[in-house]
Amino acid sequence: MTRLFLLLCLWLSLWSRNVLGSILAIDYGADFIKASLMKPGQPFDVLLNRDSKRKIQSTVGWKKNDRLFGSDAAAIAGRFPQDTFPSLKFLQAAPYESEAVSFYTSVSTADVVKTERGTVALRRSDGTEWSVEELIAMQFAYVRDLAESTAGEKVYDVIVTVPPYYTQFERDAVVDAIEISALRTLALINDGTAVAVNYAMTRTFPEPEYHVIFDAGASSIRATVVEFASVPGEGRPKSNKDATQITVHGVGYDRYTGGTELDRRLRDLMLSDFQKRYKRDISIDKRAMAKLWKEAGRVKAILSANTEAIATIESLAFEIDYKAKFTRAGFEAACKDLKSRYAVPILEALARAGLKLENVTSVILTGGSSRTPMIQDAVKAAVGADKIAQNVNADEAAVLGAALHGAGLSRQFKTKDIRISDIGPYDIQVSYQAEAKNPGARPRTINTLVFPSGSKTGTKKTLTFKRQNDFSVKLAYKAPPAPGFPTEFLEADIVGVSEAIQNITEAGATDPVVKATVMLSESGFASVRDAIVTGEFKDESITGKLKDLFGKGSSSSQSVDETTADVGTAEEETASETATSSAAEASATVVKAKEPISLEIEVKFPTIPPMSVNQKRAGRDRLLAIDAEENAKRKREEARNTLEAYIYKLRDLLSEESSDAPFMKCSQESERKALAAKVEETLAWLQDHGDDADTIQYIDKRTALESLERPIVHRYKEIEEFPKALNNSQMWNWSTRLFLTEAKQNLTKELETGTVGKYTKEELEELEKTLKEHEAWLNEWVEKQKKVKMNEDPVILASEMRARAKVLENHLQKLVKKRPPKAPKKSTTSTSSTAGSEETTAESATSSTAKGSSTPSAHDGHGHDEL
Ligand SMILES: *[C@@H]1O[C@H](CO)[C@@H](O)[C@H](O)[C@H]1NC(C)=O
Ligand SMILES: *[C@@H]1O[C@H](CO)[C@@H](O)[C@H](O)[C@H]1NC(C)=O
Ligand SMILES: *[C@@H]1O[C@H](CO)[C@@H](O)[C@H](O)[C@H]1NC(C)=O
Ligand SMILES: *[C@@H]1O[C@H](CO)[C@@H](O)[C@H](O)[C@H]1NC(C)=O
Ligand SMILES: *[C@@H]1O[C@H](CO)[C@@H](O)[C@H](O)[C@H]1NC(C)=O
């Protein structure tokens, strides 16, 4: 149990965790990454890349030792074709011998190698290998850094979009990359569903409506049939607004018919044109192929808006500058076979949803490739131009919808109440070996379809087994979910059965059975959640016996047909219904085991395993090592640049012509000579060793120069500070004097009238003594300071002057803030008029001090700071 729990934490992450803080949404595409940040109190928008673009090219690359992302990485593909890794989405969890990988190698110049898990890694030109998960984790971390600099705080939680057809293998690969990047998975969301959330955010649905989200991306085309409806907004207290229910009814897809395939067709047109014209094979020339690839993307974009475009590639190969004209017609002819496929996902999705086109209000086009005329035409032809809705931001709808959904999950944002009911697109079955009836019998495999294609996500099913011993169940797709992908994805060994059965039988139970719960999570993961042994206990109470007598037969909700004893009766129940059904069971005559016994489940991955904890940790360490290296490199560059800039600044100062310049005024000839010598020495050192020195050396060199400049700077600063400090001293000098004069007058008056004043004679004398000391010190040192030349060190520091003035200020403050002595209780009216309340007395003492002058009030204690 604990073990399974741990596994789930690591492997699925916990979806329902309480999240506080910003939420990052990533729409991870084969061509572009879009990201959005939800931060309480911050406007909600798409994250901008460092170049202020709203999307990030989905490429990682290395220019020698410098790691690059986005368009910087894509830009170097022609020079470093083996160190540039685009379109990694195609490779998520792809088995080395799958169609996905062969497709990838036909579009990318990267070297693909096999990992120990049977998936792929990419090999750099220096021989280092990076798993797809690690490379994608780098991109996630890059996006996280962007988000953190926008949010101004750490960002931990992320929701990532995936195509609805993503299998468990691929979903695991996404989550593994998230974990390697040190983010936490809030959820995965199918991209069509995310677009639906974004669509629903600004709309209401008085009547239920069906729409098709048609998402034409770089990697693939998918269609999602969704129903939007208003439902009562219960569940959220004090909210009588309706909620919007989004129900996915069907999906259709074509895994490899996206924008990338179009690029590939165009690239091949260019390639064959080149080969025909120059009679040379460049298909094995990685640089040339990378250049062609880049140009194909550019030409495709031009052909979306124009009927022809010129491809130009300088020095493509053999020092040939390639130039050729391509027409949209020619391009479309090369893609003729694709045209008939574009709208198929829509029709498949409708068929799976059991709907017709006339049931659909609109077909919403999204995804970067939905702008391609060929694709638009095909969709228009299939569904009718009037059905097409263009009112959705094609590029950003998915990431914004994902962010909104993430915000809804975290419950710390006030967002519109939108509920999602999504589906799994594949038949998922549980298979296990039947318990042998007699020792020699051939084992029989039994398959039970637990989540048929179209099953709702976020549901559980309970399987009941009549078993005496440990056994294992496998979760598998009924058919390979994509070419080259395996069917089985998870195996759960259920352990401790015989002992648990013995225990529960000893406790008085009869007919013990094993119940296993399988779950299809909101994020599309199927798992075996738990397994228990339970049995029936006779109710020994009188009422129980009576009920037993009358109600036989109708009592058991549990009878398992002996002939199919092994076959689980799969009862569907949603997570929220569990409580209700167990309450109903409890009221039956024959009650269930008082305490069902939990069984241990050991999870194994029979085919493509997700990354193990150790593999992920190792991946994270590798990424951290690169980060550390890049940081050190950045620091070194900074240190070097600072040193260089400092040297040039010193040179400027030293070559100053005017003797009025502060640097000149405050320095002596000998000091300037020493500094100039050091500057030249450092410059020479930079020329000789500047390229291979380390950070500390740059810093040391700068420190050595600074120690020569510092006395000069110091003098100059003191000269600037001196008048201000003197002004401050005199201000307190003057304020104190004013206070004393008035207080003494009051004292005299009080002595005359025989009243009790606020201050005693001694107090005033003490203050006067402090004032005199201050004046004496000030007079003496100001005189001395006046004799000091500008290029000599000052004899008193501004800081010391301020400290001395502070002593006087504090003394004055103490008296001003003093509470007046309590007037004698039975006082006459004349005395009480002078006493007043404590506060007003203190107040008035101050105001009279400041009266008639611009001197800041001593009372607030800030007077000196404001100067
Ligand atoms: C779909 O349209 C058909 C024909 O107009 C209609 O009979 C059917 O009820 C509609 N289905 C739904 C779910 O609205
Ligand atoms: C069965 O009972 C024994 C004794 O109480 C206990 O140690 C053991 O853990 C139990 N086994 C299971 C599977 O519950
Ligand atoms: C000194 O303080 C007075 C009053 O606050 C101000 O007007 C004057 O400019 C100050 N002089 C200097 C040198 O800071
Ligand atoms: C301090 O104030 C007194 C009285 O206003 C004045 O005579 C004296 O010169 C002042 N001292 C200095 C150093 O400004
Ligand atoms: C002097 O007396 C007047 C009148 O009572 C009072 O307002 C003022 O605060 C006193 N001044 C000092 C410095 O105590």
Side-chain angles (χ1 to χ4, degrees):
M1 215 18 224
T2 339
R3 170 122 185 230
L4 175 69
F5 178 73
L6 276 176
L7 269 166
L8 285 169
C9 286
L10 292 164
W11 169 61
L12 300 175
S13 282
L14 276 178
W15 314 123
S16 55
R17 187 198 303 108
N18 256 343
V19 173
L20 285 173
S22 304
I23 289 167
L24 178 61
I26 298 179
D27 179 15
Y28 185 74
D31 264 7
F32 288 102
I33 303 167
K34 271 89 63 175
S36 176
L37 183 74
M38 272 274 181
K39 189 192 167 188
Q42 193 158 301
F44 162 56
D45 196 9
V46 163
L47 265 187
L48 299 185
N49 196 4
R50 300 203 203 285
D51 54 9
S52 299
K53 295 252 169 62
R54 297 174 72 84
K55 51 187 183 178
I56 304 158
Q57 219 158 335
S58 197
T59 303
V60 190
W62 276 266
K63 180 181 175 184
K64 305 211 171 87
N65 286 320
D66 296 328
R67 185 174 55 158
L68 301 173
F69 291 95
S71 52
D72 292 341
I76 58 160
R79 283 167 61 207
F80 304 96
Q82 273 173 287
D83 291 301
T84 315
F85 307 112
S87 306
L88 293 165
K89 188 174 185 176
F90 284 106
L91 296 178
Q92 287 186 310
Y96 183 71
E97 291 91 5
S98 66
E99 197 172 285
V101 175
S102 51
F103 181 79
Y104 186 79
T105 51
S106 79
V107 301
S108 160
T109 47
D111 277 348
V112 171
V113 295
K114 190 173 180 172
T115 67
E116 55 183 310
R117 292 162 48 232
T119 57
V120 296
L122 293 121
R123 185 168 51 210
R124 282 184 54 194
S125 59
D126 67 3
T128 53
E129 289 173 13
W130 294 93
S131 69
V132 172
E133 287 86 350
E134 286 169 333
L135 291 169
I136 292 175
M138 289 179 194
Q139 296 179 309
F140 287 171
Y142 173 81
V143 172
R144 185 207 41 225
D145 292 349
L146 277 183
E148 287 183 348
S149 56
T150 303
E153 63 176 26
K154 284 266 170 204
V155 174
Y156 299 104
D157 293 289
V158 67
I159 175 166
V160 179
T161 65
V162 292
Y165 58 74
Y166 255 26
T167 58
Q168 182 118 343
F169 307 113
E170 292 158 303
R171 285 167 200 262
D172 275 331
V174 177
V175 171
D176 288 347
I178 292 171
E179 288 180 6
I180 292 171
S181 75
L183 280 161
R184 293 188 298 220
T185 313
L186 183 60
L188 304 183
I189 182 170
N190 291 338
D191 40 27
T193 312
V195 172
V197 172
N198 185 57
Y199 187 81
M201 194 47 73
T202 53
R203 290 169 174 85
T204 54
F205 305 93
E207 294 296 321
E209 286 176 23
Y210 293 96
H211 293 261
V212 177
I213 315 282
F214 178 79
D215 191 348
S219 60
S220 62
I221 283 179
R222 52 261 179 200
T224 308
V225 176
V226 282
E227 179 188 355
F228 296 96
S230 285
V231 291
E234 87 265 283
R236 292 203 179 176
K238 285 175 200 159
S239 143
N240 42 19
K241 274 191 197 149
D242 278 357
T244 300
Q245 173 70 48
I246 294 175
T247 310
V248 175
H249 287 287
V251 295
Y253 49 84
D254 190 330
R255 272 184 174 250
Y256 301 110
T257 309
T260 307
E261 175 62 14
L262 293 176
D263 292 351
R264 190 166 79 115
R265 300 283 173 112
L266 196 49
R267 194 261 333 258
D268 287 348
L269 278 183
M270 292 179 179
L271 178 63
S272 60
D273 176 60
F274 182 93
Q275 318 242 65
K276 211 158 61 202
R277 270 160 63 189
Y278 299 100
K279 308 274 183 289
R280 312 239 208 174
D281 183 16
I282 56 167
S283 63
I284 45 158
D285 178 344
K286 283 182 183 287
R287 284 181 191 209
M289 289 304 279
K291 286 178 186 172
L292 275 178
W293 182 257
K294 210 167 124 194
E295 187 63 2
R298 196 186 68 87
V299 168
K300 184 185 76 173
I302 298 174
L303 288 180
S304 282
N306 302 276
T307 53
E308 50 182 61
I310 309 281
T312 46
I313 306 171
E314 247 176 68
S315 183
L316 174 55
F318 308 106
E319 292 177 6
I320 296 167
D321 291 338
Y322 176 67
K323 191 166 187 175
K325 186 165 89 181
F326 293 91
T327 63
R328 189 193 285 178
F331 174 42
E332 292 192 354
C335 304
K336 218 165 73 202
D337 58 313
L338 296 177
K339 201 159 179 179
S340 63
R341 286 162 63 178
Y342 291 135
V344 173
I346 299 180
L347 306 176
E348 281 177 358
L350 282 171
R352 286 180 190 141
L355 291 169
K356 301 243 171 329
L357 254 181
E358 58 256 35
N359 298 108
V360 168
T361 309
S362 79
V363 175
I364 298 163
L365 300 193
T366 94
S369 299
S370 66
R371 284 186 289 261
T372 305
M374 207 182 325
I375 297 181
Q376 276 197 3
D377 293 347
V379 175
K380 273 182 201 155
V383 305
D386 55 327
K387 278 266 197 263
I388 308 272
Q390 302 266 22
N391 50 358
V392 162
N393 181 337
D395 276 334
E396 296 172 357
V399 74
L400 295 176
L404 290 166
H405 183 58
L409 288 177
S410 89
R411 299 194 177 278
Q412 60 176 322
F413 298 90
K414 280 207 189 85
T415 55
K416 190 174 167 186
D417 188 358
I418 296 180
R419 292 107 190 248
I420 293 178
S421 166
D422 213 326
I423 56 173
Y426 302 112
D427 284 334
I428 296 175
Q429 60 188 17
V430 165
S431 67
Y432 52 94
Q433 303 274 298
E435 206 159 37
K437 289 262 158 18
N438 42 57
R442 269 230 319 266
R444 195 162 49 97
T445 299
I446 294 166
N447 296 316
T448 306
L449 195 59
V450 276
F451 298 114
S453 135
S455 292
K456 285 193 183 312
T457 57
T459 53
K460 285 194 224 169
K461 282 187 181 176
T462 302
L463 299 162
T464 306
F465 302 89
K466 276 216 149 181
R467 303 296 283 241
Q468 300 301 319
N469 295 302
D470 292 357
F471 64 105
S472 56
V473 296
K474 283 180 179 168
L475 288 178
Y477 296 111
K478 200 171 170 189
F485 276 74
T487 52
E488 290 177 359
F489 56 85
L490 185 147
E491 184 174 342
D493 291 347
I494 297 171
V495 188
V497 175
S498 60
E499 192 184 303
I501 285 185
Q502 196 188 332
N503 283 9
I504 206 160
T505 311
E506 278 167 9
T510 55
D511 296 331
V513 289
V514 176
K515 287 192 161 201
T517 308
V518 289
M519 167 134 198
L520 182 59
S521 80
E522 307 274 1
S523 295
F525 290 91
S527 61
V528 179
R529 289 300 293 263
D530 57 46
I532 54 167
V533 162
T534 180
E536 292 173 8
F537 286 85
K538 280 271 188 277
D539 187 345
E540 296 296 345
S541 70
I542 298 294
T543 41
K545 281 179 176 163
L546 284 176
K547 274 187 195 163
D548 217 17
L549 216 59
F550 299 120
K552 225 164 187 146
S554 65
S555 57
S556 174
S557 62
Q558 192 53 34
S559 62
V560 178
D561 185 353
E562 283 300 327
T563 56
T564 58
D566 280 303
V567 183
T569 40
E571 301 164 31
E572 183 161 349
E573 52 177 359
T574 61
S576 55
E577 277 165 8
T578 318
T580 339
S581 65
S582 60
E585 283 161 7
S587 67
T589 321
V590 179
V591 293
K592 289 276 180 53
K594 293 157 192 163
E595 277 296 305
I597 298 173
S598 292
L599 294 169
E600 204 175 300
I601 298 174
E602 284 170 10
V603 175
K604 290 188 257 179
F605 303 97
T607 53
I608 309 171
M611 291 178 88
S612 68
V613 174
N614 282 339
Q615 283 167 334
K616 281 184 279 201
R617 195 171 293 146
R620 196 185 283 198
D621 289 346
R622 291 183 85 187
L623 263 61
L624 288 176
I626 299 194
D627 287 347
E629 212 174 281
E630 288 178 350
N631 254 332
K633 216 190 278 177
R634 213 172 12 247
K635 286 227 175 82
R636 180 181 173 275
E637 284 306 306
E638 264 172 32
R640 183 183 174 157
N641 291 342
T642 322
L643 174 61
E644 278 175 356
Y646 187 47
I647 286 175
Y648 294 122
K649 188 194 105 180
L650 288 178
R651 279 187 135 189
D652 285 352
L653 288 175
L654 286 164
S655 61
E656 183 64 65
E657 302 277 300
S658 156
S659 56
D660 273 353
F663 180 81
M664 289 298 177
K665 277 197 296 196
C666 298
S667 57
Q668 293 163 22
E669 177 72 32
S670 59
E671 288 169 332
R672 290 194 293 271
K673 266 196 176 149
L675 191 52
K678 197 76 185 166
V679 163
E680 293 317 311
E681 180 199 312
T682 312
L683 258 181
W685 174 83
L686 257 183
Q687 255 143 33
D688 292 348
H689 306 286
D691 287 340
D692 41 62
D694 58 32
T695 314
I696 300 292
Q697 286 175 291
Y698 296 122
I699 292 174
D700 285 350
K701 294 282 172 193
R702 195 177 75 213
T703 313
L705 286 167
E706 275 170 352
S707 68
L708 293 178
E709 194 207 7
R710 196 174 298 116
I712 305 167
V713 174
H714 176 67
R715 279 172 216 148
Y716 182 64
K717 278 200 180 135
E718 285 297 322
I719 287 168
E720 277 196 317
E721 273 302 304
F722 184 76
K724 292 184 212 156
L726 184 59
N727 207 1
N728 178 59
S729 294
Q730 283 171 341
M731 199 260 298
W732 288 113
N733 182 359
W734 191 70
S735 302
T736 310
R737 179 64 66 202
L738 206 68
F739 172 84
L740 276 172
T741 310
E742 195 180 288
K744 276 182 185 163
Q745 277 168 11
N746 284 3
L747 189 64
T748 316
K749 229 184 274 167
E750 284 149 14
L751 286 176
E752 279 169 7
T753 57
T755 52
V756 180
K758 191 175 171 189
Y759 305 111
T760 64
K761 190 162 176 270
E762 289 71 29
E763 282 173 330
L764 298 181
E765 278 170 4
E766 259 175 59
L767 179 61
E768 181 143 34
K769 190 167 156 253
T770 307
L771 173 64
K772 289 223 164 99
E773 277 166 14
H774 183 246
E775 281 175 4
W777 181 83
L778 209 54
N779 281 330
E780 180 188 348
W781 285 97
V782 167
E783 281 314 305
K784 285 188 184 166
Q785 179 63 23
K786 278 182 184 157
K787 297 197 184 89
V788 173
K789 292 208 193 85
M790 279 182 128
N791 66 0
E792 289 170 353
D793 290 339
V795 290
I796 43 170
L797 299 180
S799 55
E800 196 184 349
M801 280 171 81
R802 289 190 189 277
R804 296 259 176 186
K806 191 78 192 166
V807 171
L808 179 59
E809 181 194 340
N810 286 346
H811 199 149
L812 176 62
Q813 292 283 18
K814 207 176 84 191
L815 289 198
V816 170
K817 284 187 181 158
K818 189 198 163 198
R819 293 171 175 223
K822 281 235 168 76
K825 274 227 165 115
K826 280 166 200 157
S827 58
T828 63
T829 31
S830 67
T831 42
S832 70
S833 71
T834 36
S837 84
E838 296 179 0
E839 244 109 321
T840 46
T841 314
E843 202 81 40
S844 52
T846 321
S847 63
S848 79
T849 309
K851 200 193 313 174
S853 80
S854 61
T855 315
S857 156
H859 175 70
D860 66 7
H862 291 295
H864 132 240
D865 288 333
E866 280 163 6
L867 279 166

